[in-house]
Amino acid sequence: MASAALASRLYRIAMALLLFMAFAHTVFAMLGDPVSDEQARALSETKATSFVIFGWRRTYFDFYYGNGMLVTVLLVLLAFLCWEASGLVRQAPTIARRLAWPLAVSMIFVAYFSWTRFVIMPAIVSSVITSLLVVAAI
């Protein structure tokens, strides 16, 4: 693992970036208005297309919005875990080591899906966070 002081700083920077990512995701992707007519039509269609699943009537928008807000919650959880890891590297390095690689690997997957399924900003931010967590874990 990186030195305790360096790892602690890296985890705190990652935490701040994760909170930024959660905020931006919520404000711009989940609560923002469509910026083009194409986006407005697509959003309208997802709200209009409903079906019954497990006895509940849902729209595609329900799944889109619900999953999007779950992403926000999980980004905040990752930020909290980074905050905890920043203290653990000094106080309980053995526990911190067990947390380091799962955090890094989870962000590797977030970065991968950001690059392959989303747009450039979350891809860049998640890649920076991934780099910080991998360096902290080494």
Side-chain angles (χ1 to χ4, degrees), residues 32-116:
D33 291 325
V35 295
S36 71
D37 289 341
E38 289 174 321
Q39 288 178 351
R41 277 193 306 276
L43 185 61
S44 177
E45 286 298 319
T46 64
K47 289 180 177 180
T49 306
S50 69
F51 49 90
V52 175
I53 184 164
F54 300 115
W56 294 75
R57 179 154 297 278
R58 293 289 181 244
T59 65
Y60 274 103
F61 180 78
D62 293 332
F63 285 100
Y64 168 80
Y65 188 79
N67 281 308
M69 294 311 286
L70 284 174
V71 168
T72 296
V73 170
L74 293 174
L75 288 169
V76 172
L77 173 63
L78 278 172
F80 171 78
L81 291 174
C82 285
W83 178 261
E84 286 298 309
S86 75
L88 285 174
V89 293
R90 293 178 182 193
Q91 299 166 356
T94 304
I95 296 171
R97 270 188 232 102
R98 290 193 308 229
L99 184 61
W101 281 109
L103 281 172
V105 170
S106 69
M107 279 310 298
I108 289 169
F109 282 103
V110 170
Y112 170 77
F113 287 114
S114 293
W115 281 105
T116 59

